Amino acid sequence: MSHWIILPVLLPAFVAPFIVLAARYHIGIQRVLSVAGVIALVCISAGLAWQASDGTVTLYQLGDWAAPFGIVLVADRLSTLMVLLTSVLALFVLLYAIGSKWDERGRHFHALYQFQLMGIMGAFLTGDLFNLFVFFEVLLIASYGLMIHSGGNVRLRAGVQYVLFNLLGSTLFLFALGSIYAETGTLNMADLALRAQLIDPEATVGIRIAAVLLLLVFAIKAAVVPLHFWLPSSYAEAPGPVAALFAIMTKVGAYAIIRVYTIVFPPDLEATAGLHGLWLLPVALLSLAVGMVGVLAAKKLDRLVAFSVIGSMGMVMTATALFTPDGIAAALYYIVHSTLAAGALFLIADLVRTGRANLALTTAPPVAGAALTAGLFFVAAIAMTGLPPLSGFLGKLLILDATFNSPLAVWAWAVILSASLISVIGFARAGSVVFWKAHSIMPSDDTPPQPAPATLSYVAVGGLLTLLVAHTVFAGPAYSYMTATSAQLFAPEPYISTVLDTPGKLSEPKEGY
């Protein structure tokens, strides 16, 4: 049993209260502790990903209680990939928050940031559904605190909307967990995978209802249309670095769908056959269309980026809904791309906000550092819209190829290509209004000088875009890793045996009993 697996959860869980108790009034110490914690998190995540890269599945039993009775954390290719992606994104976002001084505009930013990371890491590593629910709640509470950071009525209203929608999802999650436990007597995913196969095909009503409820819950987290209404206002009104970190939040929902519906309820499971195959792909294509139409119709830059997140989740779910090895591999490649691109775009939108009264897509005097900011926006927009030569283009090619044998292949190709064209028009319009047309307007003499964004802010954005370029340059090895990850998901026997066959000291009978 490796104790390293629990460190991505344990480290931020210790750093957060230490910041509150020991450095509440010292922003410099908070920054040092927070950055040091996230750098350590990146190193640990990289080590776990390297360990899992050869297909090894590693288990951690909390309290040394064996599954399915104890709580377990499981590190395989998929979970360590998502943990590494989260920690890398968190590092650059944190650097931006420090450079832009967003962390000074309210209290407890760094503590909430660490608690948020704790919830996300736990959701990716947990091996049972109830603790997935627990970590969902941890990240929900922390994300609400981050979202309303620095206050404001508009931000508070969007935060309340965000919480209400996610509490609805949490309620459905509890109903689903109760139904699953009533039918199978377990919530451990490895144990549940075995017990679901033993359900009588004539008595599947309960487990089918539970499977549908779970899918609805994860669809809410992934902002799949028509369960996406909470996202545009929530992400647009959140502070820039918070919205950038939230780029990984929708991927938690996608991860949960991939994990549960390949291991617990795989496509060939008779008890739940046909539940997601018929309608998930059409809904995914609808999400893609709605997201990119929202990009075209957006009147503010931050809402444009928020709708692009919905569109990118439509792309991810289009590949995921195929539930084939090629589809899941393409989805995983695109998840990495879209997370980095969305995070960079939210930070760039905040750079623009530094020099403008608002982010409305109307002509205004040039912002400070407009040339560099415009260049960063140009690269990030190319990535998000899927134009060559960046990884968005490669990801879309992989998804198009994966859908080739689908009965809805014609619809998938038509929607993906049309949505790509619409997104190009939407981002081109936004860039021309904010950066190009701005040069035709001279600021008045009484306009106060605009503060230039800090160098550290540009470094953070540049770091995310550099990772996008690396994701393109090393697309071959990256996709090979995604293919191996997908193959591991569709052959879950090592995962199940590692979880269930590893003994725990407290599971062994003691002498005298």
Side-chain angles (χ1 to χ4, degrees):
M1 183 171 68
S2 173
H3 293 277
W4 287 97
I5 304 175
I6 198 173
L7 286 182
V9 180
L10 207 58
L11 181 61
F14 276 103
V15 172
F18 186 80
I19 288 174
V20 173
L21 296 175
R24 183 183 306 178
Y25 303 109
H26 303 279
I27 188 64
I29 299 177
Q30 291 181 33
R31 288 172 171 173
V32 170
L33 291 173
S34 191
V35 171
V38 175
I39 290 175
L41 203 58
V42 171
C43 296
I44 294 168
S45 303
L48 290 175
W50 178 264
Q51 184 182 43
S53 62
D54 62 353
T56 301
V57 179
T58 314
L59 180 71
Y60 182 81
Q61 300 166 332
L62 275 75
D64 215 8
W65 281 90
F69 308 105
I71 299 171
V72 296
L73 301 179
V74 188
D76 62 353
R77 283 192 177 102
L78 177 60
S79 59
T80 55
L81 169 68
M82 300 304 295
V83 165
L84 179 60
L85 177 62
T86 302
S87 59
V88 170
L89 174 69
L91 177 60
F92 287 108
V93 171
L94 182 59
L95 293 177
Y96 182 92
I98 294 172
S100 62
K101 298 185 178 181
W102 262 109
D103 59 338
E104 296 181 3
R105 304 183 195 183
R107 301 185 66 182
H108 307 306
F109 175 88
H110 290 283
L112 289 169
Y113 197 87
Q114 295 295 324
F115 276 127
Q116 177 81 0
L117 292 179
M118 170 192 168
I120 296 173
M121 297 300 186
F124 287 142
L125 289 170
T126 186
D128 68 88
L129 291 176
F130 183 78
N131 284 284
L132 180 61
F133 166 78
V134 171
F135 285 118
F136 271 12
E137 297 312 297
V138 171
L139 66 88
L140 173 62
I141 295 170
S143 63
Y144 178 67
L146 287 172
M147 186 177 171
I148 62 173
H149 179 73
S150 82
N153 291 333
V154 176
R155 187 167 292 149
L156 180 61
R157 184 167 58 250
V160 171
Q161 175 184 332
Y162 168 78
V163 169
L164 288 177
F165 265 91
N166 282 275
L167 284 179
L168 173 62
S170 299
T171 304
L172 292 176
F173 204 166
L174 279 178
F175 289 157
L177 295 180
S179 301
I180 290 175
Y181 193 81
E183 291 292 324
T184 63
T186 185
L187 292 175
N188 180 279
M189 285 190 275
D191 193 33
L192 187 57
L194 297 180
R195 298 197 185 193
Q197 298 175 7
L198 304 177
I199 296 176
D200 186 352
E202 302 299 324
T204 61
V205 174
I207 198 67
R208 291 174 72 86
I209 291 175
V212 170
L213 286 176
L214 271 185
L215 194 56
L216 288 175
V217 172
F218 300 150
I220 291 174
K221 300 295 182 183
V224 175
V225 174
L227 305 173
H228 69 292
F229 295 105
W230 59 272
L231 189 146
S233 295
S234 301
Y235 281 36
E237 300 301 336
V242 174
L245 181 63
F246 282 8
I248 195 67
M249 295 271 283
T250 50
K251 309 309 184 297
V252 175
Y255 164 86
I257 291 175
I258 292 172
R259 172 70 74 189
V260 173
Y261 289 90
T262 55
I263 291 183
V264 179
F265 305 122
D268 58 352
L269 181 64
E270 187 176 358
T272 57
L275 281 183
H276 45 68
L278 295 177
W279 59 271
L280 188 55
L281 180 56
V283 168
L285 294 174
L286 180 62
S287 300
L288 174 58
V290 169
M292 294 314 174
V293 169
V295 167
L296 185 61
K299 296 182 179 180
K300 295 178 64 178
L301 185 60
D302 48 6
R303 289 187 69 87
L304 179 145
V305 180
F307 273 106
S308 72
V309 171
I310 296 175
S312 68
M313 286 308 301
M315 285 291 297
V316 170
M317 295 312 302
T318 296
T320 302
L322 301 172
F323 287 103
T324 62
D326 289 343
I328 296 299
L332 294 177
Y333 183 87
Y334 199 84
I335 281 175
V336 175
H337 156 79
S338 61
T339 301
L340 298 175
L345 281 169
F346 277 118
L347 297 184
I348 292 169
D350 195 68
L351 288 176
V352 175
R353 184 186 281 113
T354 304
R356 289 170 62 107
N358 55 61
L359 291 178
L361 295 179
T362 55
T363 52
V367 299
L372 182 55
T373 304
L376 295 174
F377 178 83
F378 179 72
V379 176
I382 287 177
M384 182 58 81
T385 56
L387 290 176
L390 294 180
S391 52
F393 176 71
L394 300 178
K396 287 187 178 181
L397 287 181
L398 292 173
I399 294 174
L400 288 171
D401 182 64
T403 62
F404 190 78
N405 294 322
S406 170
L408 297 178
V410 174
W411 285 99
W413 280 57
V415 172
I416 291 172
L417 295 177
S418 300
S420 299
L421 176 61
I422 293 173
S423 66
V424 169
I425 297 172
F427 273 95
R429 178 180 67 95
S432 64
V433 170
V434 173
F435 299 108
W436 181 59
K437 290 184 179 180
H439 290 281
S440 63
I441 300 178
M442 298 301 296
S444 60
D445 295 337
D446 57 350
T447 301
Q450 302 170 1
T455 302
L456 187 58
S457 300
Y458 282 119
V459 169
V461 177
L464 290 176
L465 295 181
T466 301
L467 290 176
L468 275 174
V469 173
H471 194 47
T472 307
V473 173
F474 298 101
Y479 184 65
S480 296
Y481 186 88
M482 305 309 176
T483 302
T485 303
S486 177
Q488 188 178 51
L489 288 170
F490 283 94
E493 292 80 12
Y495 179 100
I496 296 173
S497 62
T498 299
V499 173
L500 297 181
D501 296 343
T502 302
K505 292 181 181 179
L506 297 181
S507 66
E508 298 174 357
K510 298 181 180 179
E511 293 184 7
Y513 288 86

